[in-house]
Amino acid sequence: MKEHLYQFSKTALIVIDLQKWIGNQYAPHSAEQVVERASAMVETFREAGAFVGLVRVSSKDFKDMPRPILDQEPPAIKLAPGWDEIVPEIGVTANDHLITKRQWGAFYGTDLDQQLRRRGITTIVLCGIASGIGVDTTAREAFAHGYQVIFAIDAMTGFSEAEHEHVSKVIFPRIGRIRTTDEILACAALQS
């Protein structure tokens, strides 16, 4: 018997940072694999009329981004025009909710919590890049806000396999449920 993970009426799919700036240096899954699996979930959630939140990081001048004093500078990223657009494989439809963030997590400084609560959503399915940064921070924020969290573990990836393995083995099991894309899609099939 297949597991009933969620109800579409109470669940949101939140896709983290699948935008045109993503590169190729990820593990254990490639960016292409993550985009393909996330796209399958987005299509299924859209067809069901469920909440699809597409999260992107964006800024006009980067003056609204955190600037902490660090022991190690982050790697330099070259940003081409359109870097903050959602990848074409997913796109943005009129019914999607585009969430623009200026830090790692999708809750702080955005209206994501308000949009979810006003729709009676209690569960979020998370996927995207990177497992140990945007996905992890958003998951911790969701947990702190009282949401049930489901991790689409093969529809996310880290900047290194060690990063992904750490959060998927140590952090995620303490704040939610870990499932594959196929398991999440199988639950959708039970509802149709």
Side-chain angles (χ1 to χ4, degrees):
M1 179 170 175
K2 301 232 187 243
E3 178 182 24
H4 188 71
L5 281 174
Y6 59 86
Q7 294 177 298
F8 278 123
S9 63
K10 301 265 185 206
T11 304
L13 174 64
I14 306 298
V15 181
I16 304 294
D17 297 346
L18 294 187
Q19 55 195 82
K20 290 184 178 179
W21 69 272
I22 58 177
N24 296 315
Q25 302 299 317
Y26 301 105
H29 309 291
S30 69
E32 292 80 15
Q33 290 171 315
V34 170
V35 168
E36 179 183 334
R37 292 170 185 149
S39 294
M41 288 188 294
V42 166
E43 182 179 324
T44 298
F45 273 68
R46 282 176 179 158
E47 287 174 3
F51 186 101
V52 174
L54 304 175
V55 179
R56 68 181 186 151
V57 62
S58 183
S59 180
K60 289 184 186 218
D61 60 9
F62 295 92
K63 292 181 181 176
D64 55 357
M65 302 289 238
R67 291 184 292 282
I69 298 170
L70 304 170
D71 285 332
Q72 179 181 2
E73 287 299 313
I77 300 174
K78 292 183 181 180
L79 300 173
W83 67 275
D84 58 351
E85 296 172 13
I86 301 297
V87 294
E89 296 88 341
I90 292 176
V92 180
T93 69
N95 293 326
D96 297 332
H97 298 271
L98 187 62
I99 298 112
T100 301
K101 65 185 178 100
R102 291 173 171 72
Q103 62 285 321
W104 288 0
F107 281 89
Y108 179 77
T110 75
D111 70 343
L112 179 57
D113 183 53
Q114 180 183 47
Q115 295 298 329
L116 297 175
R117 288 190 191 282
R118 290 193 177 170
R119 288 168 175 78
I121 292 171
T122 58
T123 302
I124 65 170
V125 175
L126 274 175
C127 64
I129 295 175
S131 311
I133 298 178
V135 176
D136 177 56
T137 304
T138 300
R140 291 174 192 238
E141 291 172 339
F143 173 76
H145 280 80
Y147 293 98
Q148 299 299 317
V149 182
I150 300 169
F151 298 95
I153 203 67
D154 60 345
M156 66 178 69
T157 196
F159 287 108
S160 70
E161 191 159 352
E163 170 199 321
H164 179 82
E165 288 300 312
H166 172 73
V167 293
S168 64
K169 300 262 192 272
V170 177
I171 305 301
F172 295 167
R174 294 179 179 179
I175 59 177
R177 294 170 284 168
I178 297 173
R179 300 296 184 271
T180 64
T181 300
D182 287 344
E183 290 170 321
I184 291 164
L185 294 174
C187 181
L190 291 174
Q191 298 180 60
S192 41

